[in-house]
Amino acid sequence: MWHRSRKFISKADWAAALDVIPMLDMLDDGERLKLRKLSSRFLASKSIEPVRGQRLETADLVVIAAQACLPVLALGLDAYAPWRSVVVYPGGFVAREHEVDEAGVEHEWDEARAGESWFRGPVILSWEDILASGQGEGYNVVIHEMAHKLDMLHGEANGRPPLHRDMDPETWHRDFSAAFEDLKRRINAGDTPVMDEYAATDPGEFFAVTSEYFFDTPGVLEAEYPSVYRRLCEFYRQDPLAPLKLRTPI
């Protein structure tokens, strides 16, 4: 496990993490060094708690931290200040859900999860799904839950995180709402969208899923919903495609 007295992730542990997260290949050397420093601070400030017999070596903790810190590479670790712990299950876990319908009747059911974020509480993750994240397939459970945490900075996860002063809330709402409604329309019409249909669950999940694509397969998101891609560039203060564009001959 990580000892809080440690100041910096070792080269060996960092290299091991990079080997299993192809998504980070998009970063240049300066960005990787910044991410390594931020990940070191993340491990020193957060408690990562394996449960149900899960064991985590130091290199495993780095895999979690690197993916968790990528969304705040330009925002800083203070964006994660309201919470302190990450709980890691060996695989998917079951969460108890409840809902009150329009008639006032409360319904409860069990739902399988790969990740979960509690308001001002822990982030809960499946190790099996962590290992499946960042592979260039548009799936990243760590980034998904971190996006929820950023969304929750003003309360409910509703797809509208606190925006920067130079961002226009009306433009954000217009672009995200149009893309969300388009995805729902395509699914209802029987189309098979490129993006995960879970994004059509609600605006909060749409923001979290598009954040996964933004970092893991940015080209897919830009092709599907270019306006959403631009808004996420503004929010995360990153452009994952910029290095690729610079390397691509015109």
Side-chain angles (χ1 to χ4, degrees):
M1 297 296 288
W2 185 266
H3 295 286
R4 293 179 183 271
S5 60
R6 293 184 62 176
K7 300 296 183 182
F8 206 50
I9 294 169
S10 71
K11 289 183 178 181
D13 288 331
W14 185 246
L18 293 180
D19 282 346
V20 298
I21 313 174
M23 171 184 66
L24 300 183
D25 291 345
M26 294 184 183
L27 301 180
D28 62 30
D29 290 342
E31 291 168 332
R32 289 183 191 179
L33 178 58
K34 184 176 181 180
L35 183 63
R36 183 178 166 196
K37 291 179 179 178
L38 201 63
S39 300
S40 300
R41 290 177 52 208
F42 181 91
L43 292 175
S45 62
K46 305 297 183 187
S47 172
I48 300 183
E49 305 164 8
V51 297
R52 301 283 177 87
Q54 176 64 45
R55 293 180 178 274
L56 296 174
E57 303 297 332
T58 299
D60 300 331
L61 302 180
V62 175
V63 168
I64 296 170
Q67 294 181 86
C69 290
L70 184 58
V72 295
L73 186 62
L75 305 179
L77 206 55
D78 286 348
Y80 293 158
W83 56 278
R84 294 193 58 81
S85 63
V86 178
V87 177
V88 182
Y89 282 79
F93 55 93
V94 175
R96 189 69 173 168
E97 294 291 325
H98 64 88
E99 181 181 67
V100 179
D101 63 23
E102 295 179 355
V105 178
E106 184 172 356
H107 303 271
E108 291 191 355
W109 68 96
D110 291 334
E111 185 172 289
R113 294 284 180 84
E116 190 173 70
S117 292
W118 295 6
F119 178 63
R120 295 189 181 276
V123 170
I124 306 173
L125 300 169
S126 152
W127 178 245
E128 180 180 351
D129 288 274
I130 292 170
L131 291 179
S133 298
Q135 304 301 308
E137 299 175 352
Y139 179 74
N140 195 300
V141 67
V142 183
I143 286 178
H144 185 104
E145 299 307 330
M146 295 303 149
H148 280 322
K149 280 298 189 182
L150 294 172
D151 200 358
M152 291 176 183
L153 285 173
H154 63 71
E156 180 184 4
N158 59 8
R160 203 292 206 173
L163 303 180
H164 307 298
R165 291 183 179 181
D166 60 350
M167 295 180 66
D168 180 18
E170 292 185 5
T171 301
W172 177 279
H173 178 74
R174 179 199 67 204
D175 292 343
F176 269 83
S177 295
F180 177 62
E181 293 301 326
D182 176 73
L183 181 62
K184 290 198 298 181
R185 177 190 59 77
R186 292 162 67 183
I187 292 171
N188 291 335
D191 295 344
T192 304
V194 174
M195 287 184 54
D196 188 344
E197 295 186 9
Y198 189 63
T201 303
D202 58 53
E205 296 299 346
F206 187 81
F207 170 66
V209 172
T210 54
S211 293
E212 294 181 68
Y213 279 84
F214 179 75
F215 289 105
D216 195 42
T217 51
V220 172
L221 179 61
E222 187 189 44
E224 287 290 293
Y225 297 116
S227 295
V228 169
Y229 181 84
R230 289 194 293 271
R231 299 293 80 77
L232 291 178
C233 285
E234 294 171 352
F235 176 72
Y236 287 113
R237 300 298 202 218
Q238 300 183 56
D239 184 354
L241 285 176
L244 301 181
K245 290 175 179 175
L246 291 174
R247 292 197 296 266
T248 302
I250 296 175

